[in-house]
Amino acid sequence: MLKKANRIEPGSQQERSLKKHNPWIICTCSRQCYITLITGCYTCEWQIKQEKKSRPGPCCCSWKEKIFFPFLIISFLLSVVLLFVWIETSNEYFGFDWVIFLGTGYWFFWSIVLLSLFGILTAYSSLLVVLAFLLVWEGYELYLHWCHKILILLMILLCSFVLWILCQLWQERWLTAGLSLQIFAPYMHLSGITVMVILSWPVAFYLIHLEEEVRMRRYKMMYDRETAKGCNILTKLRALQVAIGLPFFLILLCLYIVPLGIHSPCIQEEDKLGPKPDFFGHRGAPMLGPENTMMSFEKAVEQGAYGLESDVQLSYDQVPFLMHDNDLRRTTNIRNVQPNASIIHSSFFLWSFLSTLNAGKWFVQSQFKPFYHMKPLSRADREKAENQRIPKLTDLLELAQKEKKFVIFDLNTPPRKHPLRHTYIRHVVSVILASKIEQHLIFWLPSFDRQYVQSRAPGFQQVGQLFSIERLTKENISRINVDYKRLFYKGLKDYKAANININLYVVNEPWLYSLAWCSRIHSVTTDNIQTLSQLNHPYFFMTPGYYMFMWLLMDSVSAVLIFAIFYFHWWRESKKEMFNNSIHTDLRSLSLQQREHGSQDSTNLPIKPSFRVLGNPWALSAFYPALTKSTKKQPGSCHFLVVPKKKSSEPEQVKETIKPLRPSKDDVRQPPPTEKTFEPTWDAPREATLETALPSLKVNKPTISSLEVAQSKTEPEKTSTFESSQQYSFSVFSTISSMFSYELTSKKN
């Protein structure tokens, strides 16, 4: 009848007892799972190979893997560069999506798709690099599966193609990455030191192990004739040490002294920090309402905008209206009203038709949402946005006059065959003057026919572009409107020194606005006015004294930690080496003593010290002759039972012999008279056998000097003492078990 197995509850006494008595089972299973996981992910082979390298060496893989491993590193570096550039240029996501929309006619967050793609590529290549490092750490050879190799080559091609596009068609993105380094450099410096401290542990481990390998091979070369081959291995080991250690310490040294070359506008004294830059609402507040609508401009005024920015087009009947794109596909419902006319330039439509189009329903639809991180609208704002129309320029001027806000706009040139192709500047100036707005509220940006504007409306504030200072002074221009990327070139210090106000466009990210603040920029044009207006202090700002303190503190602490890590690994390896040397010294002394007593004591055989094991002089094997099939006979007057060694997978055969019993005077010891004499009660057959095996002994307790195990010639010389002692213990245990089994059999007979 089968018994029902008891279930071991988690956390019970049985489980704790099992873990206490069998901890190696849990450790072995966990390690096997870990090795299987990293090997399977890297090589796609889910069976652990038994061939494992004993210690780090100059070669950890085949020549094919050596050739392909640099491609893995290149793919990792390219993916990291692309991911960094794309993250830092998040301020340009809307512009990128808009350019794709002009080419495809379909609006989608292509920038987020590329961000996710570069993140996946970086994570994939990083995982393969980490797995390769772990496999080398564990001593397994590297073998990257062919599927991974194909993907790595495709990654290199894709990343190279994207980088080529960025270099040829979008070079200004590199300027954005440079601006991010200006503000993030101090923090990247501190983070880099932390990473180097973490990496110092495996680097120190590997370098110290390589040094130990060099010492071992040098010691071996003293007794080895193949000196040239050993020298080549030592050269490879030294080269590997240099290849690992030299880059590590060079990078660490550069990190220690890099603050001497860091120039960040956000590192300055508190009293030198300029005032907070003003805001121009870019097309209003396009994250709170449909762009270039009255709702959007009203939201910008509510958020405390300094001025309102817009784009002006001219209808075919000479009415200035607000529209950024040349066509009406993206921001109106022209596709539902006149699908065939959706790609026609908006300046060829009459105002009577344009005023009927809806300019807000697209904003509340998720597939046309202009910004990925927009907050959801309230029900009232949603209803208001759905009823927005295309506004005229005069509507914006009325709001600006009412709220006393400045107005700046881009005036787009009408297309060919438009009636105002050559006179649009004068017509728009007439419309502005007819609106009765105060002239100083107008920031005049168009550079065409500027002399007429200055003579007709002298109260307009003239705004230039990145012209030379001499030209700006000649045209009486005291304000410039430039792309924020131009801040990379010396922070526009020459213009600030000439008392020229600077307005940057388009600044949406808080870190970029903080950089403009620290650079003493006067105003910015932004889509994210609701976020930037809440900043009361620039991000990543620190005083030079504080940064100097953090620099010296991090350098000192990291140097101490790295030194301690290297010293710990050196101390641990030295301790192991001292322990091994002491064992070899003890074994040599035992061998010499054994050889010296060999001539006097005929019961001792000269053997190698690492295989000599002293036996118990009162072992029961001394009383039993060779009676089983596994008995090995030795020359002499008597024979002892020896259990043959269990065959292993390795080609090792140890011949176990026990010398014949030839006691001398010193070997026989009388027990003390106070002790009780051992008198075994044996039956007659066994007593006769004993008398046959021991004819010359007539004492109460026989004494055997030692049991010795001889080493076979096929046994490798580097067999450890621990393994030999384990084999001997197993052999003695098997011998005693066989004797007791024989005793039981004889009793039955």
Side-chain angles (χ1 to χ4, degrees), residues 17 103 124 200 210 217 239 252 285 357 377 382 422 430 475 513 517 533 566 608 639 684 739:
S17 178
Y124 173 70
S200 64
L210 288 176
R217 292 187 180 274
L252 185 63
L357 296 177
L377 299 176
R382 187 182 183 91
H422 302 289
S430 300
E475 296 181 2
Y513 179 74
W517 190 347
S533 60
F566 272 83
K608 291 188 177 182
H639 308 285
M739 289 187 295

Side-chain angles (χ1 to χ4, degrees), residues 291-295 297 308-315 317-323 350-357 359 388-400 407 409 427-428 431-432 435:
E291 66 178 57
N292 282 325
T293 61
M294 296 309 298
M295 177 184 176
F297 293 118
L308 303 175
E309 189 273 345
S310 185
D311 307 275
V312 178
Q313 304 276 2
L314 290 170
S315 65
D317 53 351
Q318 304 180 9
V319 176
F321 65 95
L322 307 182
M323 179 66 59
L350 299 176
W351 174 247
S352 58
F353 173 75
L354 294 173
S355 61
T356 62
L357 296 177
Q388 293 298 307
R389 303 292 177 179
I390 300 176
K392 296 186 294 184
L393 175 60
T394 55
D395 298 333
L396 176 61
L397 297 178
E398 290 178 3
L399 178 63
V407 176
F409 54 84
H427 178 73
V428 171
V431 172
I432 295 174
S435 65

Side-chain angles (χ1 to χ4, degrees), residues 4 30 61 125 138 193 253 429 468 503 541 615 696 733:
K4 185 178 180 180
S30 301
C61 55
S125 58
E138 295 295 335
I193 292 179
L253 180 61
V429 171
S468 63
N503 180 74
F541 179 83
S696 60
F733 177 75

Side-chain angles (χ1 to χ4, degrees), residues 398-526:
E398 290 178 3
L399 178 63
Q401 177 64 33
K402 179 182 177 181
E403 301 293 340
K404 302 299 179 182
K405 300 297 181 182
F406 295 95
V407 176
I408 184 173
F409 54 84
D410 288 321
L411 183 56
N412 296 314
T413 304
R416 295 179 179 179
K417 299 182 181 181
H418 194 278
L420 298 177
R421 170 72 175 180
H422 302 289
T423 60
Y424 67 98
I425 294 290
R426 301 188 178 190
H427 178 73
V428 171
V429 171
S430 300
V431 172
I432 295 174
L433 294 177
S435 65
K436 304 301 180 180
I437 188 174
E438 299 178 18
Q439 293 188 14
H440 73 278
L441 295 179
I442 301 299
F443 283 2
W444 187 259
L445 184 59
S447 59
F448 180 72
D449 206 0
R450 189 180 293 273
Q451 293 181 356
Y452 169 80
V453 176
Q454 290 177 343
S455 62
R456 179 71 185 277
F460 288 0
Q461 298 190 45
Q462 300 296 320
V463 180
Q465 297 178 3
L466 201 62
F467 303 140
S468 63
I469 298 178
E470 292 78 9
R471 179 181 176 182
L472 295 175
T473 305
K474 181 179 179 181
E475 296 181 2
N476 195 20
I477 297 176
S478 60
R479 183 183 296 267
I480 59 175
N481 185 50
V482 298
D483 190 357
Y484 75 92
K485 303 179 189 68
R486 300 300 176 181
L487 193 63
F488 179 78
Y489 300 105
K490 299 181 181 180
L492 304 175
K493 292 182 179 180
D494 298 336
Y495 295 91
K496 289 184 288 186
N499 294 325
I500 297 177
N501 295 334
I502 302 173
N503 180 74
L504 299 180
Y505 67 91
V506 174
V507 177
N508 294 331
E509 295 297 324
W511 69 266
L512 193 56
Y513 179 74
S514 301
L515 182 62
W517 190 347
C518 296
S519 301
R520 304 181 69 88
I521 299 299
H522 302 89
S523 61
V524 298
T525 302
T526 179

